[in-house]
């Protein structure tokens, strides 16, 4: 049986080629993902291990002193803990060789064109803390020297390379709003994770860092153990002196924690990629099953003769499974080799996109090899098991009948019954109010529709008759060929359907969400612009003061955020300019009005009012994070949304509870409305500040919508693998179908059907099958989008389902093109058949 299986594989090399390709691509996706994440994680671990070389014990404050520049959190009221006095005390611990105090914070650097370097979140500033030798072990200077005064800064080498800055150049930067300038004193190498991920790092001298980053204490103090002192011994000594709410952690523990964090982040990335690899393999199963079903059907006489000469059912099944094993093994080995290339390609792609992954050797773990081989072989054998089982049931007497067995009516009835029951179960689950149950119901319906595709293919193909009629006899033959074997047509179309279902569903949800955000921004804001820090950290109040001096500014108000409790429940409290707020924000009041917001009063959102049983005119006690309580009269209750919620109260109420006056953002209304000139006026008034983000309503919508579209495009790219495998399935089915119908095609050629018409017939058949899969997939995708949208609508008030007709039309057009391209090889093969030789074929 092994020799028989091997002979069959070698005899059908061309017909099995597409199956090998389908499995190979799926395995390549899986193995490439595993190799990439292993390589990525190992490189980051190696880099992070170096960054803790100078740390034996780190003393960290809970929450760190970033609170001191945060503007309003309760921790800001506590006295400083990690001060210079404490650092000296820590440095004098027995067993401590040296101590470094570190401070960090947001620092935006402008490139030579005035644009922000390093992105909104990866722009960091830190201090240079020289030891007794005058060096800071965190920074390895390759050019120039460390900064010595407020007039100097140092840049990491990656940022210097990107911007073209050299020692002696003047750089503009900002930490909290105002623009500052300094000269580059030096360029250094660093293992800082944010720099490796594409961010920037600016280093100040220690005194300047405290001032510009708004610190009142160190974020962390790193101790280096003297020779002969262990990390544990130094940690035990440090724990005896650390202030309240601080921790002493060994360098090994820090490294392990960072490794675990990297492991978690790479694991999340790996899981996402593996989900799409699983989808690709699932699509491949249809192709494998289809291929082996057709191969078995073409060998009906051979298998029946094997039974007639004594082969058992088990032996026949085994021969088909051995054949599948050999195909799967070849596909797995080639797929694994291709997967290594995929991993290298992913790394290059992410680096070209600005991710700046750390360098490191390619990591090919033994488990990756085993997983790749197992997936390729097991998936292929599982998909081929059912055709093999069917082959074993062929009685010897079938050798006297036709070569090609057709599916029985009984089998189709059983399949349709099971599919109908599953769809009905999915509909029942959809009627449930629980979002997770509804999502499960949608998935069940998808499975049911896949089972019902043979039944659904008949009415669809019948409906295509008017479109095929202009092609005459070739159109009619294409329609009859498509419906001849509904199982085969269904399996081929289902592979394409799955990919388009997911793509359409994601497109519907993404489009609807973008529209909802645009409606929310347009409906909530009357301000022309919002001004905030690029990373949404607190903004210096001087920004609003500068804007108010502009004659073009009609109204402005800061949003000054504090936090508090309303009857024990957490709530955000926003301080505003009550006189200007009505011109900047549109609030939908259910009771009261903005005109009543005076003195010790507040506006409350409807959700908070309902939860706390409050109404206009009531007095509510708000306990702020500084543990002081203010009694405020409710001036009005309004409907909240994702952009506007919480309590709004005059600045005079909020300011006394903040340790440092800072703004979350500033709302601005211009005399002539939003325009390029108005925006340029604001930009110049703020000194072309790289740290400040100025956005109109469209920019706010586009920022969120752009993130959604970027994610959608990434998902399109990942699902492209499944679509490619589906295309291979169409090619394979048509090629094998042409081989199966050689006798019939020869007869058609003999009675006058020329080569061009034969090509047209195969091409139309391919288009019909592709469009059937596309229509089914798009229909299911819109339905899935509706299901997901229902769960989203509960939390996003402005969400309404939007069907992107343009993109859906594009998907249909792509499906038609797929049909044309997939038919090129099979159509050419059919047209080149010799009529006389084809007629003689069995």
């Amino acid at each position: 049986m092994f020799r028989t299986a091997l002979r069959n594989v070698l005899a059908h090399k061309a017909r099995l080629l597409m199956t090998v390709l389908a499995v190979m691509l799926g395995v390549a996706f899986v193995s490439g993902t595993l190799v990439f994440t292993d390589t990525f994680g190992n490189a980051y671990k190696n880099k992070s291990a170096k960054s803790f070389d100078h740390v034996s014990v780190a003393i960290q404050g809970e929450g760190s002193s970033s609170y001191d520049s945060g503007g309003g959190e309760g921790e800001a009221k506590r006295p400083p803990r990690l001060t210079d006095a404490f650092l000296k005390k820590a440095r004098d611990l027995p067993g401590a060789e040296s101590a470094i105090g570190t401070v960090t914070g947001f620092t935006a650097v402008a490139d030579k064109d005035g644009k922000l370097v390093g992105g909104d979140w990866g722009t960091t500033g830190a201090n240079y803390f020289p030891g007794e030798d005058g060096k800071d072990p965190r920074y390895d200077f390759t050019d120039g020297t460390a900064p010595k005064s407020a007039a100097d800064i140092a840049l990491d080498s990656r940022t210097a390379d990107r911007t073209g800055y050299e020692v002696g150049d003047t750089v503009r930067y900002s930490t909290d709003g105002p623009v500052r300038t300094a000269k580059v004193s030096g360029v250094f190498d660093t293992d800082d994770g944010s720099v490796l991920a594409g961010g920037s790092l600016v280093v100040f001298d220690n005194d300047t860092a405290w001032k510009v980053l708004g610190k009142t204490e160190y974020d962390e103090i790193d101790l280096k153990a003297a020779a002969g002192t262990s990390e544990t011994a130094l940690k035990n000594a440090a724990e005896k002196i650390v202030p309240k709410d601080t921790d002493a952690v060994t360098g090994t523990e820090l490294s392990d924690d960072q490794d675990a964090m990297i492991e978690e982040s790479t694991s999340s990335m790996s899981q996402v990629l593996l989900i799409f690899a699983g989808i690709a393999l699932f699509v491949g199963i249809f192709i494998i099953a289809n291929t082996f079903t057709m191969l078995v059907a073409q060998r009906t006489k051979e298998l029946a003769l094997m039974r007639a000469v004594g082969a058992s059912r088990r032996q026949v099944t085994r021969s088909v499974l051995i054949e599948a094993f050999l195909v799967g093994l070849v596909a797995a080995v080639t797929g694994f080799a291709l997967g290594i290339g995929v991993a290298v390609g992913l790394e290059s792609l992410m680096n070209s996109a600005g991710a700046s992954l750390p360098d490191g050797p390619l990591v090919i773990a033994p488990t990756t090899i085993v997983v790749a081989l197992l997936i390729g072989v097991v998936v292929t054998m599982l998909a081929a098991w059912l055709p093999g089982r069917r082959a074993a049931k062929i009685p010897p007497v079938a050798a006297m009948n036709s070569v090609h067995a057709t599916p029985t009516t009984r089998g189709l009835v059983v399949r349709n019954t099971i599919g109908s029951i599953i769809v009905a179960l999915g509909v029942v689950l959809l009627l449930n109010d629980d979002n997770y149950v509804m999502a499960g119901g949608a998935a069940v319906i998808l499975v049911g529709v896949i089972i019902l595709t043979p039944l659904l293919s008949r009415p669809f193909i019948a409906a295509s008759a008017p479109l095929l009629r202009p092609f005459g006899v070739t159109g009619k033959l294409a329609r009859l060929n498509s419906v001849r074997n509904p199982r085969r047509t269904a399996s081929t179309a289902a592979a394409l359907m799955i990919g388009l279902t997911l793509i359409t569903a994601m497109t519907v949800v993404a489009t609807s969400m973008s529209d909802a955000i645009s409606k929310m921004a347009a409906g909530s804001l009357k301000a022309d612009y919002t001004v905030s820090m690029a990373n949404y950290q607190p903004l210096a109040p001087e920004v609003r003061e500068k804007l108010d001096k502009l004659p073009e500014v009609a109204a402005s108000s800061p949003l000054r955020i504090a936090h508090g409790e309303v009857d024990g429940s957490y709530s955000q409290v926003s301080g505003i300019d009550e006189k200007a707020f009505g011109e900047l924000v549109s609030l939908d009041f259910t009771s009261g009005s903005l005109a009543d917001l005076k003195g010790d009063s507040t506006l409350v959102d409807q959700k908070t009012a309902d939860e706390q049983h409050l109404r206009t005119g009531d007095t509510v006690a708000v306990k702020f994070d500084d543990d002081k309580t203010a009694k405020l009269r409710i001036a009005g209750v309004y409907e909240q949304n994702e952009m506007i919620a919480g309590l709004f109260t005059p600045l005079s109420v909020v300011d006394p509870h903040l340790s440092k006056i800072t703004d979350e953002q500033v709302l601005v209304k211009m005399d002539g409305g939003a325009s390029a000139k108005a925006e340029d006026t604001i930009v110049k008034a703020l000194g072309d500040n790289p740290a400040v983000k100025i956005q109109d309503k469209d920019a706010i919508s586009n920022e969120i919508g752009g993130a959604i579209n970027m994610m959608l495009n990434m998902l399109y790219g990942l699902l492209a693998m499944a679509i490619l495998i589906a295309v291979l399935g169409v090619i394979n089915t048509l090629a094998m179908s042409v081989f199966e119908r050689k006798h019939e095609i020869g007869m058609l050629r003999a009675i006058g059907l020329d080569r061009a018409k034969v090509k047209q017939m195969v091409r139309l058949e391919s288009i019909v099958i592709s469009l059937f899969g596309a229509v089914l997939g798009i229909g299911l995708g819109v339905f899935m989008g509706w299901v997901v949208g229902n769960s989203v609508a509960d939390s996003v008030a402005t969400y309404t389902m939007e069907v992107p007709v343009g993109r859906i039309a594009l998907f249909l057009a792509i499906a038609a093109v797929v049909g044309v391209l997939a038919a090129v090889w099979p159509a050419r093969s059919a047209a080149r058949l010799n009529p006389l030789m084809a007629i003689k074929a069995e």
Side-chain angles (χ1 to χ4, degrees), residues 226-475:
T229 302
S230 68
E231 287 185 341
T232 304
L234 185 57
K235 176 184 176 181
N236 291 337
E239 285 178 337
K240 296 176 181 178
I241 65 165
V242 294
K244 184 181 178 182
D245 296 331
T246 58
D247 292 318
V249 186
T250 66
T252 301
E253 290 172 335
L254 286 174
S255 182
D256 290 344
D257 288 345
Q258 188 155 324
D259 285 352
M261 217 163 61
I262 293 169
E263 184 73 32
E264 185 179 348
S265 63
T266 55
S267 174
S268 301
M269 183 192 304
S270 176
Q271 286 171 10
V272 171
L273 291 172
L274 287 175
I275 286 171
F276 287 94
I279 292 169
L281 284 169
F282 182 63
V283 170
I285 286 173
F286 288 90
I287 299 171
I288 300 164
N290 227 15
T291 302
F292 277 93
T293 298
M294 295 175 77
L295 285 174
V296 166
Q298 291 168 12
R299 298 194 336 245
T300 301
K301 181 178 286 188
E302 174 191 330
L303 295 171
L305 286 173
M306 286 173 61
R307 292 291 313 282
V309 297
S312 66
R313 287 187 175 186
R314 185 172 296 174
Q315 285 178 310
V316 172
T317 303
R318 194 182 304 149
S319 73
V320 176
L321 290 178
I322 291 172
E323 193 174 335
F325 170 80
L326 294 172
V327 171
L329 185 62
V330 171
V333 172
T334 53
F336 174 72
L338 182 61
I340 296 173
V342 169
V344 174
L346 276 172
E347 184 175 3
S348 299
L349 182 65
M350 293 190 73
N351 280 327
S352 65
S356 299
L357 301 181
D359 297 327
L362 201 65
V363 177
I364 303 174
T367 52
T368 302
I369 301 173
V370 172
V371 167
L373 294 176
L374 279 177
I375 286 175
V377 172
V378 171
V379 166
T380 309
M381 291 182 70
L382 284 176
W385 174 77
L386 191 58
R389 188 168 174 270
R390 286 190 192 132
K393 290 183 177 180
I394 299 173
V397 74
M400 306 299 295
N401 297 326
S402 171
V403 175
H404 307 309
T406 57
T408 62
T409 303
R410 179 178 174 275
L412 288 174
V413 169
V414 171
R415 178 171 178 156
N416 293 339
T417 302
I418 293 172
S420 300
I421 292 171
I422 291 175
V423 169
L425 174 62
V427 171
V428 171
L429 293 175
L430 278 180
L431 299 176
N432 195 287
D433 292 333
D434 188 279
N435 290 333
Y436 291 104
V437 176
M438 288 179 67
V444 170
I445 289 176
L446 176 61
V447 173
V449 171
I450 291 172
I451 296 172
L452 286 174
T453 41
L455 177 66
L456 297 172
S457 65
R458 290 185 178 277
F460 176 85
I461 294 171
S464 67
L467 299 175
L468 296 173
R469 194 169 292 126
F471 298 98
V473 68
T474 54

Side-chain angles (χ1 to χ4, degrees), residues 37-53 191 193 196 254-267 358-360 363:
T37 50
D38 286 345
T39 301
F40 171 70
N42 183 66
Y44 261 119
K45 284 178 183 177
N46 290 340
K47 290 290 186 182
S48 68
K50 292 178 185 177
S51 67
F52 292 112
D53 286 347
D191 291 322
L196 295 173
L254 286 174
S255 182
D256 290 344
D257 288 345
Q258 188 155 324
D259 285 352
M261 217 163 61
I262 293 169
E263 184 73 32
E264 185 179 348
S265 63
T266 55
S267 174
D359 297 327
V363 177

Side-chain angles (χ1 to χ4, degrees), residues 652-778:
S652 58
V653 174
V654 169
D655 287 354
H657 302 283
L658 303 179
S659 64
K660 183 178 180 180
I661 304 299
T662 56
D663 300 327
E664 188 78 10
Q665 59 180 304
V666 178
L667 305 179
V668 182
K669 189 172 184 64
M670 306 296 285
D671 271 335
S675 66
K677 183 179 179 182
E679 184 171 345
D680 189 55
T681 299
I682 296 175
V683 169
K684 288 181 177 177
L686 298 179
D688 290 325
N689 195 325
V692 173
K693 181 180 290 187
I694 302 164
Q695 295 177 295
D696 59 14
K697 284 182 278 192
D698 288 339
I700 293 170
S701 299
N702 291 337
E703 183 177 50
I704 303 173
I708 293 173
N709 287 331
M710 184 175 71
M711 187 179 298
L712 187 63
N713 289 334
M714 288 176 60
L715 296 177
Y716 282 167
L718 293 170
L719 285 171
M721 183 72 75
I723 300 295
L724 176 59
I725 292 173
V727 172
L728 293 176
V730 177
I731 296 172
N732 209 24
T733 298
L734 288 172
M736 297 184 74
S737 179
V738 166
F739 178 84
E740 194 176 81
R741 304 199 315 258
K742 279 198 299 185
H743 183 82
E744 175 188 316
I745 293 171
M747 291 293 293
L748 290 171
R749 290 291 313 282
I751 62 176
L753 197 69
D754 61 24
R755 288 187 174 184
K757 293 292 186 184
V758 170
K759 285 183 178 180
Q760 188 180 72
M761 177 185 71
V762 176
R763 197 179 298 120
L764 289 173
E765 183 180 346
S766 176
I767 292 172
V768 167
I769 293 173
S770 297
L771 286 178
F772 169 53
V775 169
L776 208 56
I778 289 170

